Amino acid sequence: MCIFCQIIANEIPAEKIYEDENILAFLDIHPNNFGHTLVLPKKHCENLFDADEKTLENLITIVKKISLAVKSAVEADGINIGINNGEAAGQIMPHLHIHVIPRFSNDGLVHWPSKEYGAGEMEKIGEKIREVIKSS
Ligand code: AMP
Ligand code: ZN
């Protein structure tokens, strides 16, 4: 059983802040800012891509509710919401979870650096993605 499934099963402790039949939310043990929360489906799936649509609809609704609660509780100025899908994207825990990270105007956290497209590259990648969407 994965560590998050063990938290769901109450086999290891966590600072839980929300629970219903399908969803659990608890504080991240190594927060980017205090109040950083993880929201996850109780049904084990590895990442966004193997979660079923109904689970995802439910999850995003609860993420909104929890984000507003976290924002209010820690008096945050903003909230980052993110999912790391796959090792290359920084996923460490192999059970889908959504990060709800409170942000403060002066918290000093730095966003990812951006890149510049060369001539024609943006259009080429846009076309490739449109093709995949069309054939899916
Ligand atoms: P990710 O890189 O998206 O897989 O993030 C995994 C997150 O889970 C990290 O931010 C960890 O700090 C957090 N984490 C790992 N173990 C625990 C735990 N036992 N309780 C709470 N948060 C945890
Ligand atoms: Zn699991």
Side-chain angles (χ1 to χ4, degrees):
M1 213 194 297
C2 91
I3 288 175
F4 286 177
C5 278
Q6 289 177 63
I7 290 176
I8 291 161
N10 285 316
E11 288 174 7
I12 58 175
E15 188 61 32
K16 295 178 183 176
I17 60 160
Y18 176 88
E19 182 161 17
D20 66 27
E21 202 186 333
N22 303 305
I23 306 236
L24 179 67
F26 53 86
L27 296 186
D28 192 303
I29 206 165
H30 294 126
N32 294 124
N33 275 324
F34 292 170
H36 180 165
T37 297
L38 304 177
V39 189
L40 45 143
K42 287 185 171 175
K43 192 169 112 187
H44 180 94
C45 58
E46 195 159 327
N47 56 40
L48 183 73
F49 313 125
D50 66 347
D52 62 76
E53 313 303 319
K54 192 156 186 309
T55 297
L56 293 176
E57 282 168 21
N58 201 3
L59 198 58
I60 199 66
T61 304
I62 301 298
V63 162
K64 178 180 176 183
K65 182 187 173 90
I66 287 168
S67 298
L68 289 169
V70 169
K71 188 169 186 285
S72 171
V74 302
E75 296 180 36
D77 301 309
I79 298 275
N80 282 129
I81 294 169
I83 307 174
N84 300 324
N85 291 287
E87 209 178 318
Q91 183 175 10
I92 297 165
M93 302 306 284
H95 181 131
L96 171 63
H97 53 283
I98 301 188
H99 292 262
V100 173
I101 305 170
R103 296 298 306 272
F104 304 89
S105 311
N106 60 351
D107 64 19
L109 297 183
V110 180
H111 283 272
W112 293 325
S114 61
K115 294 184 175 175
E116 298 296 327
Y117 283 113
E121 280 180 326
M122 193 170 169
E123 294 79 358
K124 217 164 127 186
I125 291 173
E127 184 53 32
K128 271 192 185 168
I129 298 171
R130 280 192 295 273
E131 274 171 23
V132 175
I133 292 172
K134 243 189 264 167
S135 62
S136 66

